[in-house]
Amino acid sequence: MGIALAEARRALETGDVPIGAVVLGPDGGVLGLGRNEREAHGDPTAHAEMVAIREAAQKLGSWRLEGCTLVVTLEPCTMCAGAIVLARVPKVVFGAWDEKAGAAGSVFDVLRERRLNHWVEVFPGVRQEECAVLLTDFFGGHR
């Protein structure tokens, strides 16, 4: 989670919402890093998870991220949860809950939806307060 938090802080440099992600390989090595880059690139799909998943897939030479773990500072949204399922990521670790748009148990539960062809093991609340404060501070300064 420390790596994901460092990426989240880097998102602040471009005025993006401070969310960071990292994809770890089966051996625990870093395969992909991501931070929100929507403002930086004018891309609505440039969420931290999407950026990290793309980088990991490119590094592996495969879209299947079997055996990998995605660590992210905020509960994934529906778009990112869909990408996690499609990439066959077996484990997701996240920090803060997203009570407005979360798709890993708060608003929706896409990652554990039994009607889909892949299910994800979810580990919520890791360094939750630290992840939440980063977002609260960011949005407090924008209001």
Side-chain angles (χ1 to χ4, degrees), residues 1-6 9 71-74 93-97 123-134:
M1 185 60 76
I3 296 169
L5 279 162
R9 290 183 190 98
V71 180
V72 61
T73 58
L74 182 67
V93 175
F94 71 84
W97 289 93
F123 300 90
V126 175
R127 294 175 71 173
Q128 180 173 346
E129 187 174 330
E130 193 175 352
C131 294
V133 165
L134 195 57

Side-chain angles (χ1 to χ4, degrees), residues 29-97:
V30 174
L31 293 176
L33 295 173
R35 63 184 174 279
N36 270 7
E37 296 180 343
R38 293 185 306 168
E39 299 298 329
H41 299 295
D43 179 357
T45 69
H47 288 201
E49 300 95 313
M50 302 294 285
V51 174
I53 287 169
R54 284 182 191 123
E55 185 175 301
Q58 186 173 34
K59 187 175 279 185
L60 286 175
S62 172
W63 59 269
R64 294 177 187 268
L65 301 185
E66 295 166 333
C68 294
T69 300
L70 174 72
V71 180
V72 61
T73 58
L74 182 67
E75 178 184 7
C77 69
T78 54
M79 175 184 68
C80 293
I84 291 163
V85 169
L86 292 172
R88 309 295 193 268
V89 176
K91 293 180 186 174
V92 169
V93 175
F94 71 84
W97 289 93

